C-alpha cells in the first residue's frame, strides 16, 4: 500500500468539496444526496489518481480513462432522471452528478481552483436559482 500525502489530501478534499452539493440535494429531497455526491467526486478523483499512477503521468492513458469516466458518470446521472406522464425531473441532479465527477477529476490533477469554482457555481445554480425555477414551473 503506497499512497502519498498529496494523493490522500486530494481524495479527502474532493470528498469534502462535494458535501455542500450533497447536503443541498438532501434538503430538497432529490433522488441523490448526501452520500452520492461526495462518493462520485471521491471515486472520480481516485480513478484519475490511479490512471495517472499506472500510466506514469501519460496524457494518453489519463485521456482514455477520463473518456470512460465521462461515459460511466453519464450512465449514473441518467439514473437520476425520472420521467412521468408530462414531466421530466432530475436533470439538475444528473448535471450536478456529472459536475461532481469533474470536481473529483480536477482534484486528482491538483486543479484546486477549478474544483472550487465548479462547486460554488453548482451550489449557486441549485440553491439561488431554485426560486426562479419554481416560479417558472407555476406558470
Amino acid at each position: 500500500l503506497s499512497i502519498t500525502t498529496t494523493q490522500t489530501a486530494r481524495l479527502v478534499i474532493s470528498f469534502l468539496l462535494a458535501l455542500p452539493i450533497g447536503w443541498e440535494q438532501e434538503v430538497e429531497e432529490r433522488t441523490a444526496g448526501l452520500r452520492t455526491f461526495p462518493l462520485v467526486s471521491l471515486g472520480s478523483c481516485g480513478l484519475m489518481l490511479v490512471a495517472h499512477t499506472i500510466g506514469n503521468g501519460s496524457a494518453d492513458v489519463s485521456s482514455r480513462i477520463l473518456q470512460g469516466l465521462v461515459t460511466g458518470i453519464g450512465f449514473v446521472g441518467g439514473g437520476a432522471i425520472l420521467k412521468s406522464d408530462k414531466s421530466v425531473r432530475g436533470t439538475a441532479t444528473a448535471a450536478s452528478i456529472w459536475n461532481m465527477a469533474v470536481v473529483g477529476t480536477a482534484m486528482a490533477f491538483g486543479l484546486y481552483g477549478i474544483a472550487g469554482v465548479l462547486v460554488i457555481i453548482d451550489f449557486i445554480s441549485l440553491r439561488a436559482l431554485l426560486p426562479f425555477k419554481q416560479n417558472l414551473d407555476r406558470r
Side-chain angles (χ1 to χ4, degrees), residues 14-53:
S14 72
F15 183 88
L16 295 174
L17 281 173
L19 284 174
I21 305 303
W23 178 259
E24 193 283 332
Q25 292 287 277
E26 199 72 42
V27 167
E28 293 297 323
E29 298 180 3
R30 303 299 183 202
T31 55
L34 192 55
R35 297 179 303 168
T36 304
F37 287 88
L39 289 174
V40 166
S41 184
L42 176 69
S44 298
C45 182
L47 181 62
M48 294 314 298
L49 286 172
V50 168
H52 187 73
T53 302

Side-chain angles (χ1 to χ4, degrees), residues 47-48 51 59-75 98 101 105 109:
L47 181 62
M48 294 314 298
D60 188 48
V61 171
S62 293
S63 174
R64 284 196 309 271
I65 292 177
L66 182 57
Q67 290 168 26
L69 176 62
V70 168
T71 302
I73 292 299
F75 179 76
W98 197 81
T105 299
F109 290 103

